[in-house]
Amino acid sequence: MAFSLFSSKNRIINLVLNDHSIRFVELKQANPPTAQKWGERFLPPGIICDGKIADMDSLANILDECIDEWKIQRRQIRFVVPDQLFIIRKVSVPSEIQEDEMKGYLYLELGSSIHLPFEEPIFDYYLLSQNDKTIDLLLFAAPEQYVMEYADLLSSLKLTPVAADISPLALYRLYHHLGFGNKNENLFTIQFDLTSVNLCIFEGAVPVVMRPFTLPFNLEHWEIQCDMQRPIDFKYTGEADRLVIQFEDILNEISKLIDFYRYTLNKEKNGITKFLFIGDHPMLGAVIDEMKERFETPVERLMLDSKTKGSVPSNLLLSLGLALKEVN
């Protein structure tokens, strides 16, 4: 399953951009997942907002500096479509639609029988089940305009975009590659970053529902330390109560999505079997501890062995999962 826009090739730079950072990984080997090189750059507020490029000139200048600093000129690029831009939706189509007709059928039905919150989408789909009357699909869609702004920007900097992906799939790809995937589990992934949270529930390897939301971020309340030799360090200097309220909101959203999945999507057949955390928020550990107190379901954090040569910092794991795309 892929959210494909372009044909893919080898020796690709794997780029993740969000509202507060640019990160990349170049894969050296897949077993165990080892990086040839990696890097990251902090993005000041206002350049990317809610996943959309807000200041194209500034982003182009910063990316140009990164390309020179990281020595990735004229390379092929995979990138992650920001979580706030795409949606996952279950749709049903008539069973007589053939596989080679499916893309065309979906394209014609988008905006009429299949409603999306944006026009002119770029999309992919995944077959769930089929009976005599209907075919059930998962539809992955994003506004073509905003996705292509990223692709066009990379092209303008003499990079070659060859594939786009979505973060839940990149996260699950790494999880599965490390040998943790279980086709019988209902995995609840939580990507908890400095400026956003993305919640996604997987049935086996299939993401069936996702909820992204943006976190309030005031640069005056944070101390940011950037060092090319080490991961970006975020330290909160504001009022502690602000974070407490923020954490409580996140936990409430988690509970709401659990209920939606259990009573609406799953019809009370099965519950969540595991929570999996990943992210760069400095208080991630505190939220994990609180989750363990509130839920009986196992709570884990996706980590690599930091002693392994070539092991990337934990805040670059999403880039590493992207790098494993189409690795056998």
Side-chain angles (χ1 to χ4, degrees):
M1 177 170 46
F3 192 78
S4 302
L5 304 178
F6 316 95
S7 61
S8 60
K9 300 178 183 179
N10 295 324
R11 294 286 293 168
I12 298 172
I13 296 299
N14 302 278
L15 197 65
V16 175
L17 298 95
N18 55 37
D19 286 14
H20 66 279
S21 69
I22 304 171
R23 291 165 175 152
F24 93 97
V25 163
E26 180 181 351
L27 190 66
K28 180 179 182 180
Q29 64 183 44
N31 293 304
T34 306
Q36 177 76 28
K37 59 182 178 180
W38 63 85
E40 62 179 337
R41 173 79 173 262
F42 176 71
L43 276 183
I47 295 178
I48 299 178
C49 298
D50 293 333
K52 300 174 184 177
I53 301 174
D55 188 339
M56 182 67 76
D57 290 341
S58 294
L59 183 58
N61 290 334
I62 292 172
L63 263 174
D64 198 31
E65 293 174 1
C66 291
I67 291 167
D68 184 59
E69 177 185 319
W70 298 336
K71 297 179 171 54
I72 57 171
Q73 293 89 345
R74 301 183 182 276
R75 298 294 298 277
Q76 297 173 335
I77 299 289
R78 290 191 192 99
F79 66 97
V80 164
V81 177
D83 297 327
Q84 300 95 323
L85 295 186
F86 77 91
I87 64 169
I88 301 174
R89 180 163 296 175
K90 184 178 179 180
V91 299
S92 297
V93 303
S95 60
E96 59 265 23
I97 305 298
Q98 301 299 310
E99 175 66 24
D100 60 353
E101 302 172 338
M102 190 63 71
K103 277 255 182 177
Y105 176 85
L106 291 172
Y107 183 79
L108 291 175
E109 293 301 311
L110 289 172
S112 56
S113 65
I114 301 174
H115 298 285
L116 297 176
F118 42 78
E119 297 180 353
E120 298 185 10
I122 191 164
F123 66 91
D124 206 339
Y125 67 91
Y126 178 79
L127 177 65
L128 290 174
S129 62
Q130 183 174 1
N131 57 40
D132 293 339
K133 294 183 179 180
T134 60
I135 302 172
D136 290 333
L137 308 170
L138 274 183
L139 183 69
F140 301 83
E144 183 177 23
Q145 172 192 347
Y146 297 122
V147 176
M148 294 310 299
E149 281 183 357
Y150 284 97
D152 293 343
L153 171 60
L154 296 171
S155 297
S156 73
L157 298 172
K158 297 183 171 58
L159 300 172
T160 305
V162 294
D165 204 358
I166 60 179
S167 69
L169 293 183
L171 167 55
Y172 190 87
R173 189 178 300 118
L174 178 60
Y175 174 75
H176 182 269
H177 195 86
L178 293 172
F180 300 126
N182 183 337
K183 65 179 181 180
N184 296 317
E185 74 179 352
N186 297 324
L187 182 71
F188 194 130
T189 63
I190 302 162
Q191 298 166 232
F192 180 29
D193 290 318
L194 189 68
T195 56
S196 65
V197 174
N198 191 33
L199 311 177
C200 187
I201 298 176
F202 286 79
E203 291 182 348
V206 180
V208 294
V209 61
M210 188 196 75
R211 292 285 186 274
F213 54 97
T214 301
L215 295 179
F217 179 73
N218 186 335
L219 189 58
E220 294 179 357
H221 298 156
W222 290 88
E223 182 180 304
I224 314 293
Q225 294 183 351
C226 302
D227 185 334
M228 288 193 302
Q229 305 302 318
R230 290 182 293 180
I232 300 173
D233 183 51
F234 304 110
K235 183 178 180 181
Y236 185 67
T237 59
E239 296 178 9
D241 287 349
R242 294 177 184 270
L243 281 190
V244 171
I245 293 171
Q246 202 174 98
F247 294 165
E248 195 62 40
D249 289 342
I250 293 167
L251 293 167
N252 288 337
E253 291 294 333
I254 291 171
S255 295
K256 288 179 185 177
L257 190 56
I258 290 172
D259 289 342
F260 175 75
Y261 173 72
R262 179 180 298 158
Y263 300 116
T264 304
L265 292 185
N266 199 257
K267 307 301 182 185
E268 299 189 58
K269 293 178 182 177
N270 298 295
I272 301 301
T273 56
K274 184 192 293 185
F275 294 105
L276 182 70
F277 274 85
I278 188 175
D280 65 23
H281 200 287
M283 303 303 291
L284 180 59
V287 173
I288 291 174
D289 289 342
E290 185 64 26
M291 287 283 293
K292 290 178 178 178
E293 290 287 330
R294 295 196 184 193
F295 298 94
E296 295 181 359
T297 305
V299 181
E300 297 181 8
R301 182 174 182 176
L302 187 62
M303 301 284 285
L304 293 182
D305 184 358
S306 60
K307 297 178 182 178
T308 302
K309 185 178 180 181
S311 177
V312 300
S314 59
N315 55 345
L316 277 85
L317 291 183
L318 200 60
S319 300
L320 188 60
L322 178 62
L324 293 170
K325 185 177 174 69
E326 299 177 20
V327 171
N328 294 325

